[in-house]
Amino acid sequence: MADIETNWERDLAKDFILNTNRNIFLTGKAGTGKTTLLKEILEETEKNYMVAAPTGVAAINAGGITLHSLFLLPLKTFIPIRDAGHPMDFFCDPRQLTKHQKFNRAKLDLILELELLVIDEISMVRADIFDAIDTTLRRVRRNQAPFGGVQLLVIGDLFQLAPVVKRDVEQILGMYYKSPYFFDSRAWQAAQAVMVELQKVYRQEEQTFVNLLNAIRTGDRDPKVVDAINVRYEENPTFSNTITLTTHNNKANSINANELEKLESKEVSLDAKVSGKFPQNAYPTPESIVLKKGAQVMFIRNHPEDLYFNGKIGQITELGKTTIKVKGDDGITVIVEPVDWKNNRYILDEESGKIVQEEIGSFHQYPLRLAWAVTVHKSQGLTFDKAILDLEGSFASGQLYVALSRCRSLEGLSLSSKINLQNIIVDQRVINFSKENHLAENIQEILKIEKDSYNDFRLAKDFRVYKIGANLDLWNENILDKEIPGKADALILVKDIQIEFNKILAVSNNFLHKLDGYIKNDALAQGFLEERCSKAIGYFTKEIYNKILLPIIKHGGEYTVKEKSKVYLREVEAVEDSIWKIIEKLYHLSYREQKLFNGTIEYKRTKKVKTIKKKKVVGETYEITFKMLQEGKSIALIAKERGLALSTIEAHCTRFIREERMSIFKVMKEQKVKKAMAAAQKYPDLELSDLITKMPMKLSFGELRWVRLHMELNATNE
């Protein structure tokens, strides 16, 4: 993007997120580069972050997960106060929310270590959902600061997509909220957020068109604006290389189906390959795409080497089961190959302590969809060189602006029906919010103050011992939910430890209050703050070890000799591990790059003595796999029983096939082998990574190696 370096709003937003703990609402007109800026921030931040969105498709596009799955939110309307008589089948209050949310230890660790929560498409998030997130974070993190002390970066344009609220639900929400928008939630009112609006538009370069879009975006019902748009009206617009934007899904589907039917070429159905966990409501394309040669299609992904972009229109010039060629209106033809959309989950890396993503599913499909027509809603985020607007019918707030702003220029725009002043619909509540929230004149001074105090915030955060309480709460819940020997005694122990923890917590809160005074007092002698912190670390590590950790260690020791206690013993060890991490973190605290603890580290983990394993004989592992195969066990079962990766067992099988100790048909069905061989014979020179995309069925790389090896052996024998 040109001039991106001189865009001071971008720099301001990035500085706030990277170097402060201030909550930020990043907004801006269509095409101002909000998504690009988010990618930059996530690449540069050292904070533990998670990205979430209100819908499955939005979450996949943002590279994150849904808000409901992250916080285990029920599919009910949240009431921010105790039950006010609403039916709990459709509504939930804070108590019901707590009962619904059963966080396991992995999810608890994520929430406790979370520093930055990014919410994309924030305009679609209802106020009650926002309050439910705030309630969850405060409760689980045992921190009554807004969002439990987690920094928020919320992104979106309120003038585009509004939250979806059913009429009956809207009446109930009206009892608690001024509007269903997130900014009227109780949590946001307390968040002290800074709204940064990106001003520079990169999608449209023509200033006249930008001015027209701005007027429609803000609800300016000026006849001159409508007349300037209606100049683009055509009775019979040219549909070639052009997409039609409509207001209704059935109309878009009807146009696409009718245009496809007109083509006399052969119909080809392309089925997606879905692996692992990938919910249907997050599918980025239809699971089965029906295409014909000559069909008008749209790319729905950016190509890593810029061969195509999200929203590029073209025609299919060649179509087979394994080959698709699309010619764009720029005259360039590209060979289209299937791509993978990843469904990830967040996990906490044990070694680094960082929140990372782990793939749990994938959606393998061609990045195409029929493109004679698409709804305005589904065009969100896309850019078209040319588009036809068919906007007859009902309108929603912001719909006209979204439709018009998809196009790069006014010249590329055609109207199949004229618009009128009534089509310019903007929610007055959004207009009022935008007028009332703008950058303060002294925003740079505010930024400097926030940056200066960020180290102080981090120090106070690290001294909080709330994580101990959260782990004890989960331990207590797990004991209640399970049948274990000596259950009553275990519950009594946890309660006793919680009492001791509350005493430590009270001292911690008192120290944090004093610490705040030390930090703000410039008259204190040099080194006073560091000395007080060092003594506090010594005190808290001693109290935590003796009053909390030691009883847990002894309790775990008692259960090592009890029957039917393996699962529970792992739970106790997990709690023990979490407490050790808190002690170790306290010992290594630093402030402004200076280590704080200057005493002797009294409490260290006892390293577990590793059992010396018998040295394996060379080739022994292969023979174990071979024997299990001969016993009729499947590859998946062998991998599970041996605790090895599936790919490792597949590699063993490759060796057996190569040595002709075993036929490929021992591990692969004959019909599957024949189909794979037929496909492989068409592309004898392709590398495995390319050949696997040409397969008519889902294969692993190991299976494809077997097929190629089988073909080579057959050729040699012949």
Side-chain angles (χ1 to χ4, degrees):
M1 289 184 177
D3 301 328
I4 216 160
E5 295 82 2
T6 58
N7 188 328
W8 79 273
E9 290 96 353
R10 295 181 86 262
D11 296 338
L12 180 71
K14 185 190 287 189
D15 216 353
F16 264 111
I17 292 299
L18 297 180
N19 302 308
T20 82
N21 195 56
R22 197 72 179 261
N23 297 315
I24 299 296
F25 173 26
L26 178 66
T27 187
K29 308 173 187 70
T32 49
K34 295 183 290 292
T35 301
T36 303
L37 177 55
L38 173 61
K39 288 179 180 177
E40 286 183 22
I41 289 172
L42 297 184
E43 286 173 0
E44 295 180 31
T45 185
E46 295 181 358
K47 297 176 182 178
N48 265 333
Y49 71 84
M50 288 192 280
V51 179
T55 67
V57 173
I60 293 296
N61 290 338
I65 60 178
T66 65
L67 288 167
H68 281 75
S69 64
L70 175 56
F71 295 108
L72 302 184
L73 301 177
L75 297 176
K76 298 178 181 181
T77 302
F78 179 70
I79 303 301
I81 62 173
R82 288 284 296 274
D83 179 16
H86 306 299
M88 287 297 108
D89 288 342
F90 306 100
F91 301 89
C92 75
D93 63 8
R95 176 182 286 183
Q96 293 293 327
L97 180 65
T98 302
K99 290 180 179 179
H100 180 84
Q101 293 169 317
K102 296 292 184 182
F103 294 115
N104 58 26
R105 187 158 299 282
K107 183 62 72 71
L108 176 69
D109 288 342
L110 284 175
I111 293 177
L112 292 179
E113 295 300 328
L114 180 62
E115 296 174 284
L116 171 64
L117 174 62
V118 179
I119 303 179
D120 200 13
E121 300 290 7
I122 188 61
S123 64
M124 298 171 65
V125 179
R126 291 198 323 241
D128 64 306
I129 300 297
F130 211 63
D131 274 348
I133 294 168
D134 173 61
T135 300
T136 301
L137 287 170
R138 290 185 191 224
R139 185 188 77 247
V140 175
R141 291 168 63 89
R142 283 175 161 250
N143 185 340
Q144 288 309 303
F147 306 100
V150 173
Q151 182 184 24
L152 254 66
L153 168 59
V154 299
I155 305 173
D157 183 5
L158 293 166
F159 290 93
Q160 295 189 49
L161 294 176
V164 177
V165 188
K166 294 180 180 178
R167 189 166 298 175
D168 55 340
V169 171
E170 189 170 17
Q171 290 177 345
I172 302 296
L173 284 179
M175 297 170 61
Y176 304 98
Y177 302 105
K178 292 180 180 178
S179 82
Y181 290 96
F182 84 96
F183 56 74
D184 275 327
S185 66
R186 300 183 179 199
W188 192 252
Q189 299 299 317
Q192 295 185 318
V194 173
M195 186 176 88
V196 180
E197 182 172 1
L198 302 181
Q199 300 293 337
K200 171 67 177 175
V201 177
Y202 296 98
R203 182 177 292 155
Q204 293 91 14
E205 296 181 358
E206 181 186 309
Q207 191 58 46
T208 302
F209 189 34
V210 171
N211 293 340
L212 291 173
L213 290 175
N214 289 343
I216 290 173
R217 180 176 185 263
T218 55
D220 184 0
R221 291 187 171 184
D222 185 344
K224 292 180 181 178
V225 172
V226 172
D227 291 343
I229 298 293
N230 281 334
V231 168
R232 303 304 303 166
Y233 168 71
E234 297 179 41
E235 282 192 32
N236 298 300
T238 303
F239 288 89
S240 178
N241 293 339
T242 311
I243 192 167
T244 298
L245 303 185
T246 72
T247 54
H248 292 82
N249 212 22
N250 56 0
K251 192 167 187 179
N253 291 338
S254 177
I255 292 172
N256 284 326
N258 291 338
E259 293 299 320
L260 188 67
E261 184 67 27
K262 292 177 184 177
L263 298 176
E264 297 179 357
S265 49
K266 182 182 177 183
E267 194 175 89
V268 176
S269 180
L270 304 167
D271 297 326
K273 297 176 183 177
V274 184
S275 62
K277 294 182 179 179
F278 206 108
Q280 281 191 323
N281 63 1
Y283 286 0
T285 74
E287 190 171 4
S288 182
I289 305 174
V290 178
L291 300 174
K292 288 182 179 181
K293 182 179 178 180
Q296 184 164 288
V297 292
M298 173 176 67
F299 289 94
I300 56 172
R301 275 276 289 266
N302 293 324
H303 191 275
E305 297 175 7
D306 297 327
L307 295 180
Y308 51 78
F309 58 85
N310 194 4
K312 181 181 175 68
I313 305 295
Q315 279 72 39
I316 295 177
T317 57
E318 186 177 330
L319 177 64
K321 274 288 184 182
T322 57
T323 304
I324 300 179
K325 292 182 180 179
V326 175
K327 183 178 181 180
D329 57 4
D330 53 7
I332 299 175
T333 299
V334 297
I335 298 174
V336 187
E337 296 183 336
V339 297
D340 282 324
W341 282 267
K342 307 292 186 183
N343 182 28
N344 297 322
R345 68 176 177 185
Y346 287 102
I347 60 171
L348 190 66
D349 182 72
E350 287 295 324
E351 290 187 13
S352 66
K354 299 296 289 183
I355 294 176
V356 296
Q357 285 192 323
E358 176 184 68
E359 183 183 331
I360 58 173
S362 66
F363 183 90
H364 189 75
Q365 179 61 289
Y366 288 90
L368 298 171
R369 68 157 45 116
L370 291 175
W372 284 286
V374 69
T375 61
V376 175
H377 186 84
K378 288 181 180 177
S379 72
Q380 186 76 15
L382 301 180
T383 301
F384 304 122
D385 290 321
K386 292 192 290 184
I388 299 170
L389 268 57
D390 178 12
L391 300 180
E392 283 186 324
S394 62
F395 271 73
S397 177
Q399 198 171 50
L400 177 60
Y401 171 67
V402 172
L404 291 169
S405 62
R406 299 308 97 198
C407 222
R408 290 187 190 275
S409 66
L410 192 59
E411 285 68 28
L413 184 68
S414 298
L415 300 180
S416 62
S417 58
K418 290 186 177 183
I419 63 171
N420 55 55
L421 292 175
Q422 284 67 43
N423 296 146
I424 303 176
I425 305 172
V426 181
D427 195 319
Q428 187 61 43
R429 295 169 296 188
V430 171
I431 295 174
N432 294 342
F433 172 78
S434 298
K435 286 181 178 178
E436 293 166 4
N437 291 269
H438 48 78
L439 289 174
E441 292 182 3
N442 64 334
I443 190 64
Q444 293 294 348
E445 182 183 337
I446 293 172
L447 174 62
K448 183 179 184 305
I449 293 170
E450 293 286 345
K451 290 172 74 171
D452 290 342
S453 64
Y454 183 49
N455 281 322
D456 306 336
F457 163 81
R458 295 179 67 180
L459 176 62
K461 176 179 72 71
D462 290 338
F463 260 113
R464 292 184 184 275
V465 292
Y466 63 88
K467 293 179 185 177
I468 296 175
N471 276 282
L472 294 177
D473 289 345
L474 180 59
W475 183 19
N476 189 70
E477 288 175 18
N478 287 336
I479 294 174
L480 288 170
D481 291 342
K482 295 180 176 65
E483 289 301 323
I484 63 169
K487 182 172 182 174
D489 291 337
L491 287 170
I492 291 171
L493 173 71
V494 176
K495 187 174 182 180
D496 289 342
I497 294 175
Q498 285 176 323
I499 291 172
E500 294 299 328
F501 164 70
N502 287 330
K503 293 177 184 176
I504 295 172
L505 182 63
V507 177
S508 171
N509 291 337
N510 185 47
F511 172 73
L512 287 171
H513 178 72
K514 290 181 178 179
L515 183 62
D516 185 56
Y518 300 152
I519 290 170
K520 293 176 180 177
N521 190 346
D522 296 331
L524 290 177
Q526 186 175 2
F528 178 83
L529 175 66
E530 290 78 4
E531 183 61 29
R532 297 302 299 168
C533 287
S534 180
K535 287 183 178 180
I537 291 169
Y539 170 81
F540 286 120
T541 52
K542 180 181 179 180
E543 289 294 294
I544 293 170
Y545 179 82
N546 288 310
K547 304 288 179 60
I548 297 175
L549 186 56
L550 205 53
I552 295 173
I553 293 172
K554 290 178 180 178
H555 181 68
E558 292 169 2
Y559 273 84
T560 56
V561 295
K562 290 186 179 183
E563 294 182 0
K564 299 180 180 179
S565 300
K566 284 186 178 179
V567 174
Y568 176 64
L569 190 57
R570 285 200 294 270
E571 171 69 18
V572 176
E573 289 173 346
V575 179
E576 180 186 330
D577 179 64
S578 68
I579 308 299
W580 270 122
K581 286 178 179 176
I582 291 166
I583 290 175
E584 290 162 352
K585 189 166 188 177
L586 283 169
Y587 277 134
H588 292 92
L589 283 185
S590 62
Y591 179 64
R592 300 188 185 276
E593 301 182 359
Q594 180 178 339
K595 189 176 178 182
L596 291 174
F597 186 63
N598 55 23
T600 303
I601 296 178
E602 296 285 344
Y603 307 106
K604 299 178 183 179
R605 298 196 207 206
T606 302
K607 291 185 179 180
K608 293 182 179 179
V609 179
K610 292 184 179 179
T611 305
I612 300 174
K613 295 182 180 179
K614 179 184 173 184
K615 192 173 181 180
K616 292 182 179 179
V617 179
V618 176
E620 182 183 24
T621 186
Y622 289 95
E623 295 307 313
I624 294 171
T625 299
F626 188 78
K627 183 180 178 181
M628 295 174 81
L629 284 167
Q630 296 304 105
E631 291 171 355
K633 294 183 177 180
S634 69
I635 290 176
L637 182 59
I638 295 170
K640 184 177 180 180
E641 289 186 359
R642 298 200 60 194
L644 298 173
L646 193 67
S647 57
T648 301
I649 306 302
E650 288 180 341
H652 292 179
C653 294
T654 303
R655 177 171 175 171
F656 303 148
I657 294 170
R658 183 185 295 111
E659 295 174 353
E660 298 189 77
R661 294 178 65 189
M662 183 182 78
S663 166
I664 189 175
F665 303 114
K666 179 77 175 177
V667 286
M668 242 178 124
K669 292 182 179 179
E670 184 174 356
Q671 194 63 25
K672 190 175 183 180
V673 174
K674 288 181 178 178
K675 285 184 178 180
M677 286 176 61
Q681 285 168 351
K682 294 180 182 179
Y683 308 98
D685 300 321
L686 283 184
E687 297 290 334
L688 280 180
S689 58
D690 295 322
L691 180 59
I692 201 165
T693 64
K694 308 297 183 184
M695 290 294 112
M697 79 292 285
K698 183 174 177 58
L699 288 180
S700 67
F701 279 97
E703 289 174 321
L704 189 55
R705 288 190 184 93
W706 301 342
V707 171
R708 272 213 163 159
L709 188 55
H710 180 68
M711 292 170 64
E712 291 171 7
L713 290 172
N714 282 351
T716 303
N717 291 335
E718 288 172 2

